[in-house]
Amino acid sequence: MADIIVALIALAGTALGTFGGILTSSKLTNYRLKQLENKVNEHNNYAHRLPVVEEKIKVINHRISDLEHEKEE
């Protein structure tokens, strides 16, 4: 009878340890996915802003070119 009780206690301990490990692993995976999503969102923000900056640079270069031509005249 004592052997059965010890086996049941060992089974309960093993089950709790296993489920605890799965839960911890799941939380860590979710945390890492959230961090990755944040990095992707940050990258996407730059990807959306970059064409705007490029267009502004074109306008600035054009204005500089116009000013240089005015100075030459």
Side-chain angles (χ1 to χ4, degrees), residues 56-72:
K56 287 183 179 182
I57 289 172
K58 285 181 186 178
V59 170
I60 290 170
N61 285 335
H62 185 69
R63 290 175 67 183
I64 290 172
S65 178
D66 287 347
L67 289 171
E68 288 175 344
H69 288 302
E70 285 180 13
K71 186 178 178 182
E72 289 176 0

Side-chain angles (χ1 to χ4, degrees), residues 4-16:
I4 295 173
I5 294 173
V6 171
L8 290 174
I9 292 172
L11 175 64
T14 301
L16 287 174

Side-chain angles (χ1 to χ4, degrees), residues 46-59:
Y46 289 129
H48 289 299
R49 290 174 52 195
L50 190 59
V52 173
V53 172
E54 288 174 341
E55 186 60 34
K56 287 183 179 182
I57 289 172
K58 285 181 186 178
V59 170

